[in-house]
Amino acid sequence: MATAAGKSATNEATTADLEADIEQLKADIQKLTEQLAKTGQHGYGAARRAAADGVEQLRAQGEAAFESMRGSAEDVEAQLIAKVREKPVTSLAIAAGIGFLFALLSRR
C-alpha cells in the first residue's frame, strides 16, 4: 500500500506542477500578445509618420515646380509683351492670322 500512496502523492504533485506550468504559459502568452499589440501600434505609427513625411515632401516639390512654371510663364509673357511693343504691326498681323486659322478649324 505504501507504493500506491506514493504513486498517488506523485500524481497529485505532477498534476499540480502541470497546472502551475499551464497557468504560467497562459500568463506568458498574455504578455506576448500585449507586446505584439504594442509593436503593431508602434509599426503603424511609424508607417503613418513616414507617409506624412512623404506627403509633405511631395507637396513641397509640387509647390517648387509650380513656382518654377509660374516664373517661366511670367518670363514668356514678358518676352511676348516686349515683342509686341517692338513690332506692333507684325504682332497684329500674326494675331489676325491665328484668329483666321481658328475660325477655319471651328467650321469643320
Side-chain angles (χ1 to χ4, degrees), residues 14 26 53:
T14 304
K26 285 181 182 179
D53 291 343

Side-chain angles (χ1 to χ4, degrees), residues 28 36 64:
D28 290 344
L36 286 174

Side-chain angles (χ1 to χ4, degrees), residues 31-42:
K31 287 179 184 177
L32 183 60
T33 302
E34 290 171 2
Q35 287 177 345
L36 286 174
K38 287 179 184 178
T39 301
Q41 290 172 354
H42 176 69

